[in-house]
Amino acid sequence: MKRGIVVLSLFDGMSCGMIALERAGVKVKKYYASELDKYAQIVSAANYPEIVRLGDITKWKEWKIEKPDLIIGGSPCQGFSFAGKGLNFNDPRSKLFFTFVDILKYYKPKYFLLENVKMKKEFQAVISDKMGCAPIEINSALVSAQNRKRLYWTNIPNVTQPKDQGIFLKDIIETEGTGAVKSHGKVKEQPEKSQCLDANYHKGIDNHGQRTGIIPKKSFPLLKEYQAKNGPGAVKRYLEKSMHQMILENAAWRKLTPLECERLQTVPDNYTNHVSNSQRYKMLGNGWTVDVIAHIFKGLK
């Protein structure tokens, strides 16, 4: 494939697939994208104007495209997610998985990749049967500052677990601060990794009842003096008590910024800054962790 591959990206979002192909060093001859969200399309077009946009996936039989070498996609997961309502394949959005399968069968590309959330074993078994392979589970925490476990069905060769890059939440925040998890008004922990980013992050607390945020260090007193005055363990006790209190009072607490969320997803800094912050949070939550996908795509070379 020295001349470059033809790619068909379904549920393309903001074109994380294209970023990953570039990062993996895979030459692309043509990249077709099917996506309906107008804000994701704006971001994609701002970064990759050369992408051919196909629109609605349900109109795929009308498409006039070259035969793809690679078909990729992350079909809507609301009906599969443990955090969802358990609608599984009866959810109209989840039924789009079968559209993905129909397209795969029609074009018969050399390679494919399907991403989705962790789900009940019976749902996973249906997808594995249709895809003709079992998934590999990869946690984005290996290549980013975010805990994000996802399933990947692919026939790309030699896919293994990525090497742990040792990236932590403190490494990606814009200002000095301490990470914490807000869980129903209480501090759950001071994490080394962020909780999984989702499309609801812009709203505050998510459907898991928790949310990673930052408490700025300037909110704390001079800690050395405090330790000396109050004895061993005083700083730890103070931080736990203070973070709990500040979160209860919504004081000195902030969400992760869109830039920090880009870094959680290993998307280039300011890649999404062509739309409102709310839309940036949504598409980043719906998107892929780019470095996981790039790791998988290295098998294409």
Side-chain angles (χ1 to χ4, degrees):
M1 298 184 181
K2 293 182 179 179
R3 296 181 180 178
I5 64 173
V6 176
V7 181
L8 174 57
S9 177
L10 306 172
F11 321 106
D12 182 64
M14 57 183 181
S15 300
C16 288
M18 187 66 157
I19 309 172
L21 286 162
E22 287 187 343
R23 200 165 288 177
V26 178
K27 187 175 180 181
V28 176
K29 175 185 175 185
K30 188 163 288 186
Y31 188 102
Y32 296 103
S34 173
E35 176 57 51
L36 286 181
D37 186 273
K38 67 178 183 179
Y39 300 104
Q41 290 184 70
I42 288 170
V43 168
S44 172
N47 289 279
Y48 297 108
E50 71 274 19
I51 286 177
V52 180
R53 301 174 201 287
L54 302 172
D56 189 347
I57 189 174
T58 64
K59 306 284 181 62
W60 70 270
K61 292 181 180 179
E62 301 173 12
W63 296 345
K64 306 296 182 184
I65 66 174
E66 293 182 49
K67 177 180 167 59
D69 302 298
L70 169 68
I71 293 181
I72 61 176
S75 59
C77 64
Q78 291 89 343
F80 301 140
S81 172
F82 284 115
K85 298 179 180 179
L87 299 175
N88 57 77
F89 293 103
N90 293 318
D91 187 305
R93 296 162 296 186
S94 297
K95 287 181 179 179
L96 289 172
F97 159 71
F98 296 103
T99 304
F100 181 97
V101 172
D102 288 343
I103 294 171
L104 201 62
K105 288 181 177 178
Y106 179 81
Y107 285 109
K108 296 180 174 62
K110 185 173 182 179
Y111 299 115
F112 62 80
L113 170 66
L114 174 71
E115 176 265 6
N116 218 302
V117 296
K118 289 192 68 176
M119 61 187 73
K120 293 181 179 179
K121 292 297 184 182
E122 56 263 40
F123 303 163
Q124 181 177 316
V126 172
I127 294 177
S128 295
D129 178 65
K130 296 295 182 181
M131 297 300 295
C133 64
I136 179 172
E137 180 182 319
I138 299 177
N139 190 342
S140 298
L142 293 171
V143 297
S144 75
Q146 174 187 198
N147 273 307
R148 188 185 189 88
K149 295 179 180 179
R150 291 293 186 266
L151 300 176
Y152 300 90
W153 287 263
T154 186
N155 67 342
I156 296 172
N158 305 317
V159 177
T160 58
Q161 292 293 321
K163 182 180 178 181
D164 192 341
Q165 300 298 310
I167 303 171
F168 301 106
L169 185 58
K170 63 181 176 61
D171 299 321
I172 63 96
I173 60 176
E174 292 188 70
T175 56
E176 287 192 2
T178 301
V181 174
K182 181 179 182 181
S183 181
H184 299 298
K186 297 181 179 180
V187 174
K188 187 176 181 181
E189 59 182 314
Q190 297 179 52
E192 292 186 334
K193 300 282 188 176
S194 167
Q195 296 293 310
C196 182
L197 185 68
D198 66 20
N200 293 310
Y201 188 73
H202 69 289
K203 298 178 183 177
I205 204 162
D206 67 2
N207 54 12
H208 298 275
Q210 57 191 24
R211 174 65 68 216
T212 300
I214 300 299
I215 298 175
K217 284 186 177 179
K218 65 181 180 181
S219 301
F220 305 134
L222 297 174
L223 300 183
K224 286 184 179 180
E225 287 82 347
Y226 189 84
Q227 180 87 344
K229 182 179 178 180
N230 295 279
V235 170
K236 183 176 186 295
R237 293 193 298 272
Y238 174 80
L239 293 178
E240 290 174 349
K241 179 180 178 180
S242 296
M243 285 195 295
H244 189 172
Q245 190 63 32
M246 283 189 289
I247 290 174
L248 284 174
E249 298 175 357
N250 289 316
W253 169 272
R254 70 166 177 81
K255 292 188 298 185
L256 298 169
T257 66
L259 176 62
E260 290 163 345
C261 290
E262 287 173 336
R263 292 171 179 173
L264 288 183
Q265 290 287 55
T266 61
V267 170
D269 282 5
N270 297 310
Y271 180 88
T272 64
N273 68 353
H274 307 281
V275 294
S276 70
N277 283 351
S278 291
Q279 296 300 330
R280 294 175 74 181
Y281 284 126
K282 288 179 183 178
M283 68 182 70
L284 285 162
N286 283 329
W288 284 344
T289 305
V290 169
D291 279 354
V292 172
I293 308 301
H295 170 76
I296 294 171
F297 284 166
K298 287 179 181 177
L300 295 169
K301 297 178 68 176

